[in-house]
């Protein structure tokens, strides 16, 4: 009804949109008959068979005739064209509705990209991939990158011999290479910018693609090619730690040395990648936001109304005040931040075990002997004369010798009292990205491996904690940001638990959380870049190692 009120049209649009939502969730929507009667299959009667109707597509077209096309309706129409093998027509449909670009999702483009790769139309695939990567609403997944890179690999685009194919559009898209190892490195570099790791299925897919693409490479010897044999799609890559020759093609699962960071196949030493200055600021901002979020969760769960009068930004204000104190304080900069509660509870899960203040004192003294200046971060409740021991119904009454430990640390300026209803984790995390402007005097606090003082090498201030960081809220931080921070700053410890003031062994051991970063990284060699890709369902130190040598 053309005279229907706008509200009626809008309501109908909403109803039709709901139908499209339901149809869009059907796996492989098949065309359906408009007649359920049985028909004979002979040629004479086939011409009288009723036409099969692709209901989801028909509904989408009907929707787009009446209303403004949506991402859902266009996606259904694109899928239909792809099922008919019309990749170019599907992309043309996408381009004819520029208004949906802001709402376009991965599902809108991915069927077309897959079809281009299957049809080996890799110039069109690369153009579409670049468009997808530049769309803010499209988030490419690891398997999408592997799809494209594998398509180039298995079709010989990364080779350096006379059979190498050229990607004609690569230069106009901003790449510096049209083929060979250079193009491979550029695509891997883009992948490493957006993702941290891949799955074992993606590692197998990439391995098979490289194996297929280099099987008849005339510039490689038979011995070089014999190592790369395609594996079954249900098979797994086995660890191959054999040392490769300097000019050898590498596509192997390797076990990187846990404490050396050295790849046995390529001989490359993997890096521990530190936070950049912009990332440090981003982490600082993220922790302030998380502190407020956690505070509001606490208020929602609190039975009493004690906190009702506190301002909404109570937690972030206190955390920001702490950050300002770190930046403005005089004296020596802190080089070690101690998770006080974590140290005090360490190995105290025996009968009679408690929150042990003497373990905190022991840790402080051990770090001072290592030429570090420690700061202990301690939650509010442990400053009370009596407090409940975590995960128990028991209470700890603070003794005079324990109170003296707190007093001594306070006098030396080595103890920070976390305000009530604030999470201490954010305080010791924030210290790692604080500039400590006034006390540092622009000095680089990090310690080199070959330092003459024999200090523990690595980033400063180091964070002393065995916390596994399973707080679900930390998942809100950007994964690369959190992983780099954890790898560079966390230092684990071990010692024999105290019973009261006593310990039978006064030795303490330290170990870094990671000796090399758990993210995709490239390292240069004379033969070309060596890539090490973490695989999320392999062992922690295993990597998929790839090098396409320069010829």
């Amino acid at each position: 009804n053309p005279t229907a009120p706008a509200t009626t049209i809008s309501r109908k649009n909403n109803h039709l949109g709901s139908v499209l939502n339901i149809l869009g969730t059907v796996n492989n929507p098949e065309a359906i008959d408009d007649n359920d009667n049985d028909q004979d299959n002979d040629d004479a009667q086939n011409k009288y068979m009723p036409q099969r109707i692709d209901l989801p597509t028909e509904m989408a077209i009907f929707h787009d005739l009446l209303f403004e096309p949506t991402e859902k309706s266009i996606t259904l129409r694109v899928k239909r064209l792809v099922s008919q093998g019309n990749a170019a027509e599907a992309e043309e449909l996408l381009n004819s509705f520029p208004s949906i670009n802001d709402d376009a999702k991965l599902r809108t483009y991915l069927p077309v990209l897959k079809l281009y790769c299957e049809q080996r139309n890799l110039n069109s695939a690369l153009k579409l991939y670049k468009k997808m990567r530049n769309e803010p609403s499209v988030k490419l997944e690891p398997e999408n990158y592997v799809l494209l890179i594998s398509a180039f690999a298995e079709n010989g685009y990364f080779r350096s011999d006379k059979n190498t194919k050229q990607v004609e559009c690569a230069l106009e898209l901003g790449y510096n290479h049209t083929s060979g190892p250079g193009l491979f490195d550029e695509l891997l570099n883009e992948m490493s910018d957006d993702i941290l790791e891949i799955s074992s299925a993606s590692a197998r897919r990439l391995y098979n693609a490289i194996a297929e693409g280099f099987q008849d490479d005339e510039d490689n010897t038979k011995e070089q090619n014999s190592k790369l044999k395609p594996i079954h799609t249900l098979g797994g890559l086995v660890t191959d730690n054999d040392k490769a020759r300097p000019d050898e093609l590498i596509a192997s699962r390797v076990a990187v040395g846990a404490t050396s960071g050295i790849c046995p196949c390529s001989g490359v030493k993997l890096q521990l990648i530190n936070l950049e200055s912009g990332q440090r600021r981003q982490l600082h901002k993220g922790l302030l936001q998380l502190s407020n979020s956690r505070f509001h969760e606490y208020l929602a769960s609190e039975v009493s109304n004690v906190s009702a009068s506190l301002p909404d930004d109570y937690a972030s204000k206190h955390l920001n005040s702490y950050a300002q104190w770190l930046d403005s304080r005089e004296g020596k900069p802190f080089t070690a931040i101690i998770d006080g509660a974590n140290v005090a509870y360490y190995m105290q899960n025996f009968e009679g075990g408690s929150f042990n203040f003497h373990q905190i004192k022991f840790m402080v003294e051990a770090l001072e002997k290592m030429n570090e200046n420690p700061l202990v971060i301690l939650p509010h409740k442990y400053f009370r004369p009596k407090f409940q021991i975590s995960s128990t119904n028991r209470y700890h009454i603070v003794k005079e010798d324990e109170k003296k430990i707190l007093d001594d640390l306070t006098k030396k300026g080595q103890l920070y009292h976390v305000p009530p209803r604030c999470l201490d984790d954010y305080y010791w995390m924030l210290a790692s990205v604080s500039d400590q402007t006034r006390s540092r005097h622009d000095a680089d606090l990090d310690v080199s491996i070959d330092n003459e003082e024999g200090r523990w090498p690595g980033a400063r201030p180091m964070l002393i904690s065995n916390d596994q960081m399973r707080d679900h809220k930390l998942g809100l931080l950007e994964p690369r940001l959190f992983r780099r921070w954890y790898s560079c700053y966390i230092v684990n410890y071990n010692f024999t638990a105290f019973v009261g003031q006593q310990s039978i062994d006064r030795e303490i051991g330290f170990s870094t959380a990671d000796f090399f970063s758990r993210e995709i990284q490239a390292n240069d060699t004379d033969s070309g870049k060596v890539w090490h890709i973490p695989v999320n369902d392999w062992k922690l130190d295993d990597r998929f190692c790839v090098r396409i040598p320069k010829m």
Side-chain angles (χ1 to χ4, degrees):
N1 181 4
T3 64
T7 53
T8 304
I9 295 291
S10 177
R11 191 179 304 115
K12 288 179 179 178
N13 190 14
N14 287 339
H15 291 330
L16 190 53
S18 299
V19 173
L20 290 174
N21 273 339
I22 296 170
L23 292 173
T25 62
V26 178
N27 290 327
N28 296 322
E30 293 290 340
I32 54 177
D33 280 339
D34 59 1
N35 189 335
D36 289 334
N37 295 330
D38 291 336
Q39 300 288 336
D40 293 332
N41 292 325
D42 60 283
D43 294 338
Q45 290 190 342
N46 275 346
K47 63 182 180 180
Y48 299 111
M49 288 282 286
Q51 295 295 310
R52 294 173 66 81
I53 300 173
D54 179 0
L55 184 58
T57 304
E58 296 296 330
M59 291 288 286
I61 295 173
F62 179 65
H63 170 278
D64 292 351
L65 288 172
L66 292 179
F67 311 109
E68 185 74 21
T70 67
E71 183 271 333
K72 297 182 184 69
S73 64
I74 295 298
T75 298
L76 285 170
R77 294 171 65 184
V78 164
K79 286 181 178 178
R80 178 58 178 169
L81 289 169
V82 167
S83 71
Q84 297 171 340
N86 298 327
E89 191 175 341
E91 186 177 5
E92 185 179 345
L93 175 64
L94 284 172
N95 294 335
S96 65
F97 293 101
S99 61
I100 72 158
N101 284 346
D102 290 340
D103 298 321
K105 296 181 176 63
L106 179 63
R107 67 180 182 184
T108 314
Y109 292 105
L110 188 56
V112 186
L113 180 65
K114 285 182 176 178
L115 184 56
Y116 276 141
C117 290
E118 290 170 5
Q119 295 176 340
R120 301 185 179 185
N121 185 351
L122 297 186
N123 276 281
S124 296
L126 189 62
K127 289 178 182 178
L128 182 60
Y129 154 78
K130 289 294 282 188
K131 180 179 180 179
M132 293 167 66
R133 199 164 183 267
N134 291 330
E135 289 287 352
S137 58
V138 176
K139 182 176 176 3
L140 288 166
E141 300 292 342
E143 56 270 21
N144 308 142
Y145 283 101
V146 172
L147 166 72
L148 181 76
I149 295 169
S150 296
F152 280 110
E154 65 194 5
N155 286 288
Y157 282 87
F158 299 142
R159 293 164 31 156
S160 300
D161 64 354
K162 64 182 182 181
N163 296 322
T164 303
K165 302 175 183 178
Q166 306 295 317
V167 187
E168 298 168 1
C169 66
L171 296 180
E172 68 184 68
L173 293 175
Y175 295 99
N176 296 318
H177 302 84
T178 59
S179 66
L183 179 62
F184 175 78
D185 292 338
E186 289 187 85
L187 292 173
L188 258 290
N189 193 59
E190 289 184 337
M191 182 171 84
S192 69
D193 284 343
D194 293 340
I195 66 170
L196 295 171
E197 58 194 12
I198 63 176
S199 67
S200 57
S202 290
R204 179 176 58 242
R205 173 76 179 91
L206 188 52
Y207 169 86
N208 279 338
I210 294 172
E212 182 177 344
F214 281 85
Q215 281 303 304
D216 60 346
D217 191 337
E218 295 177 2
D219 289 343
N220 278 343
T221 65
K222 292 181 178 179
E223 290 76 20
Q224 285 175 304
N225 282 332
S226 64
K227 290 186 66 175
L228 295 183
K229 296 179 179 178
I231 57 177
H232 192 275
T233 53
L234 296 180
L237 281 172
V238 297
T239 305
D240 180 5
N241 289 328
D242 292 345
K243 187 170 180 59
R245 293 186 301 278
D247 60 346
E248 187 175 345
L249 173 69
I250 300 175
S252 302
R253 175 177 178 173
V254 298
V256 178
T259 57
S260 67
I262 295 176
C263 168
C265 182
S266 65
V268 161
K269 180 177 175 60
L270 275 67
Q271 309 165 59
L272 186 61
I273 305 171
N274 210 336
L275 289 174
E276 299 168 358
S277 58
Q279 293 174 321
R280 290 166 65 90
R281 291 191 294 271
Q282 187 182 345
L283 181 61
H284 186 286
K285 181 180 178 181
L287 290 173
L288 291 175
Q289 294 171 342
L290 285 178
S291 65
N292 260 356
S293 175
R294 173 52 68 90
F295 174 66
H296 292 147
E297 280 187 2
Y298 178 84
L299 291 184
S301 64
E302 195 175 47
V303 177
S304 66
N305 293 322
V306 176
S307 305
S309 60
L310 296 176
D312 287 344
D313 59 352
Y314 170 85
S316 62
K317 270 191 172 181
H318 276 292
L319 189 58
N320 202 41
S321 176
Y322 163 71
Q324 291 173 1
W325 172 75
L326 285 172
D327 279 343
S328 61
R329 60 175 287 276
E330 301 280 358
K332 294 172 58 179
F334 295 118
T335 59
I337 312 297
I338 300 173
D339 179 0
N342 185 268
V343 171
Y345 279 122
Y346 179 67
M347 299 295 284
Q348 290 293 317
N349 56 345
F350 55 86
E351 186 176 353
S354 184
F355 184 93
N356 197 300
F357 289 90
H358 293 278
Q359 293 189 170
I360 295 177
K361 179 184 178 183
F362 172 60
M363 179 64 76
V364 169
E365 291 173 347
L367 288 167
E368 288 177 331
K369 290 177 182 176
M370 297 166 60
N371 295 316
E372 306 294 342
N373 183 31
L375 172 69
V376 178
I377 305 295
L378 204 59
H380 171 73
K381 85 173 205 178
Y382 300 112
F383 289 85
R384 297 170 182 163
K386 178 182 178 181
F387 56 82
Q388 186 174 0
I389 301 170
S390 292
S391 304
T392 73
N393 294 321
R394 297 184 292 116
Y395 283 82
H396 182 97
I397 299 174
V398 179
K399 303 179 181 67
E400 283 300 318
D401 60 316
E402 295 172 329
K403 185 176 183 304
K404 186 177 185 305
I405 292 173
L406 294 181
D407 291 341
D408 289 345
L409 290 172
T410 301
K411 289 176 184 176
K412 293 165 63 179
Q414 293 181 320
L415 181 63
Y416 195 87
H417 181 161
V418 177
R421 299 176 179 84
C422 293
L423 186 66
D424 60 311
D425 290 12
Y426 300 150
Y427 283 73
W428 52 263
M429 288 177 69
L430 190 70
S432 65
V433 293
S434 169
D435 288 331
Q436 300 192 66
T437 310
R438 184 167 294 180
S439 61
R440 187 168 59 89
H441 300 297
D442 292 327
D444 184 2
L445 300 181
D446 295 349
V447 179
S448 63
I449 294 176
D450 55 353
N451 72 93
E452 295 179 356
E453 296 176 310
R455 294 174 63 194
W456 183 267
R460 292 294 188 279
M462 57 183 177
L463 305 180
I464 310 298
S465 180
N466 285 338
D467 193 327
Q468 297 299 306
M469 311 300 291
R470 295 194 179 99
D471 182 354
H472 72 284
K473 280 292 175 186
L474 295 175
L476 297 177
L477 294 173
E478 198 273 317
R480 184 187 308 276
L481 186 71
F482 179 77
R483 189 171 288 189
R484 281 191 180 179
W485 168 82
Y486 187 87
S487 295
C488 291
Y489 289 97
I490 293 289
V491 174
N492 301 142
Y493 62 86
N494 65 84
F495 57 79
T496 303
F498 279 59
V499 179
Q501 302 182 38
Q502 305 299 318
S503 174
I504 60 173
D505 185 359
R506 290 278 175 157
E507 293 296 320
I508 186 168
F510 293 98
S511 62
T512 58
D514 291 309
F515 281 83
F516 50 91
S517 296
R518 290 185 292 121
E519 61 182 270
I520 299 173
Q521 63 173 275
N523 292 278
D524 290 315
T525 68
D526 292 340
S527 300
K529 288 186 184 295
V530 180
W531 292 89
H532 286 91
I533 306 173
V535 179
N536 55 30
D537 40 358
W538 285 358
K539 294 179 181 178
L540 186 64
D541 296 324
D542 283 10
R543 296 290 186 273
F544 183 48
C545 176
V546 182
R547 179 184 65 197
I548 299 181
K550 297 182 293 185
M551 296 298 178

